[in-house]
């Protein structure tokens, strides 16, 4: 009986970890447009030019240069515009799973409970949340 409880506990913890990983994968931001020079920094320190269609996840950072703008849409339907000479870091992206036939950039409202935490290191941004 004790072995059965331990097995059930291990299975439950595995399922919880899987659900948490799925929620983390669900919560993303999509780059809708880029004007000028915008750079993406990943959590592991890799650096690359940001392009329309790129997917951003927790831990990513974005820097816009002079005369540069980036527009993002988050999986909860929120929109963010980073103005020139701005740097943000996506600290936390979490969202409960949802079912919808719409792509998230078409959403008009948050389809499920979500949590987004951004750090504005410097610069200016505008949001529609």
């Amino acid at each position: 009986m004790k072995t059965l409880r331990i097995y059930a506990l291990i299975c439950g913890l595995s399922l919880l970890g899987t659900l948490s990983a799925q929620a983390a994968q669900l919560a993303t931001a999509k780059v809708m447009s880029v004007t000028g020079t915008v750079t993406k920094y990943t959590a592991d320190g890799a650096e690359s030019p940001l392009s329309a269609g790129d997917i951003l996840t927790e831990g990513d950072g974005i820097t816009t240069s002079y005369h540069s703008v980036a527009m993002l849409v988050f999986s909860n339907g929120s929109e963010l515009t980073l103005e020139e000479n701005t740097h943000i870091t996506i600290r936390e992206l979490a969202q409960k799973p949802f079912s919808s036939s719409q792509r998230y950039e078409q959403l008009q409202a948050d389809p499920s409970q979500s949590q987004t935490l951004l750090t504005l290191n410097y610069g200016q941004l505008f949001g529609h949340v």
Side-chain angles (χ1 to χ4, degrees):
M1 186 69 168
K2 191 173 188 178
T3 305
L4 182 60
R5 287 185 193 159
I6 293 172
Y7 178 74
L9 177 64
I10 291 171
C11 288
L13 290 174
S14 294
L15 179 61
L16 181 61
T18 301
L19 291 175
S20 296
Q22 288 175 344
Q25 290 176 353
L26 175 67
T28 59
K30 184 173 184 178
V31 180
M32 298 307 293
S33 67
V34 172
T35 303
T37 303
V38 182
T39 306
K40 171 186 172 181
Y41 301 90
T42 61
D44 63 3
E47 180 181 322
S48 62
L50 191 70
S51 302
D54 286 354
I55 300 296
L56 303 169
T57 59
E58 190 172 279
D60 288 343
I62 304 166
T63 300
T64 59
S65 300
Y66 182 67
H67 286 306
S68 300
V69 176
M71 295 178 68
L72 314 175
V73 175
F74 289 81
S75 55
N76 64 6
S78 299
E79 300 170 1
L80 194 68
T81 302
L82 281 68
E83 296 294 317
E84 65 180 351
N85 299 320
T86 297
H87 179 73
I88 67 163
T89 305
I90 302 171
R91 295 284 177 210
E92 181 181 343
L93 280 178
Q95 185 166 8
K96 289 189 178 182
F98 64 92
S99 59
S100 173
S101 60
Q102 292 181 310
R103 295 188 325 235
Y104 63 76
E105 58 263 28
Q106 296 172 320
L107 296 171
Q108 297 298 314
D110 196 345
S112 66
Q113 185 178 5
S114 65
Q115 175 82 23
T116 303
L117 178 62
L118 305 172
T119 299
L120 175 62
N121 300 300
Y122 58 85
Q124 186 173 355
L125 56 85
F126 298 95
H128 180 256
V129 294

